[in-house]
Amino acid sequence: PEAEALGERAALAVARGRPTLIGDAVLDPHLPPMHLVICGAGPDAEPLAASALRLGWRVTVADSRRRALDPARFPGAQLSGSAPPLVANEVGADARTAAVVMSHNYLRDAEYLTGFLGRGLAYLGILGPRDRTERLFRELADRGISLTDDDRMHLHAPAGLDIGADAPEEVATAVLAEILAMLHGASGIPLRERSGPIHPD
């Protein structure tokens, strides 16, 4: 609310978490670290968790198969073995949360989604083919669970930027790059295609 009182540029600075020149002053927002919630502890979750931790983010890896939650695989991450629909509430998912649903199990993915919808996340990504996700949302709608406009705005399915990613480490890079682009209000296009400065005021 205080930032909004300073005007649109101040609100944008807070939303993006970047210093912004406003008149003769610089507004440098200090926000809590992003919280990445990885839903599924498969082998492809390891590089995603490690890369997010290197960015200084909080990371929670959730999987109801508790045997998959080996702390040695996810050093520095919090681990949640809760039932999928409960995870979003357990971690306090909010506007500083990015969730990536990647359990590779259709029913579990649907259950994770039911918890995260309607919570105003910064990013909601789903790994897997587009037609699988569309079928998933159709089935949720049949159960009376639908996406809000805010959910749709922050939904990324398939998750990640188009960089030709294949190996788990590459997929992690594509997903984190897309989350960063969303957080900073950036397009994700090659910098050489931008006109003007890299970091606009």
Side-chain angles (χ1 to χ4, degrees), residues 70-152:
D70 181 355
R73 295 178 56 218
F74 302 105
Q78 297 173 307
L79 304 176
S80 170
S82 296
L86 306 179
V87 170
N89 193 55
E90 177 186 279
V91 302
D94 59 15
R96 294 292 294 167
T97 303
V100 182
V101 176
M102 49 188 294
S103 76
H104 305 293
N105 177 284
Y106 188 84
L107 295 178
R108 273 200 301 272
D109 282 357
E111 291 179 337
Y112 281 119
L113 283 170
T114 61
F116 283 105
L117 294 177
R119 297 191 67 103
L121 302 186
Y123 177 97
L124 177 58
I126 306 171
L127 246 56
R130 189 184 318 275
D131 58 352
R132 176 184 186 270
T133 300
E134 290 173 351
R135 180 165 66 96
L136 199 157
F137 280 120
R138 282 196 305 271
E139 292 182 6
L140 288 178
D142 290 343
R143 291 165 46 194
I145 301 168
S146 56
L147 280 72
T148 66
D149 290 342
D150 188 70
D151 289 331
R152 293 183 191 284

Side-chain angles (χ1 to χ4, degrees), residues 20-79:
T20 300
L21 183 64
I22 300 176
D24 295 328
V26 174
L27 176 63
D28 189 2
H30 291 275
L31 302 175
M34 279 299 296
H35 186 186
L36 176 64
V37 183
I38 302 171
C39 302
D44 51 354
E46 294 176 50
L48 183 56
S51 296
L53 287 164
R54 282 194 295 272
L55 290 174
W57 294 1
R58 289 174 52 216
V59 175
T60 298
V61 180
D63 201 310
S64 54
R65 305 166 303 161
R66 291 178 181 267
R67 66 184 180 281
L69 296 174
D70 181 355
R73 295 178 56 218
F74 302 105
Q78 297 173 307
L79 304 176

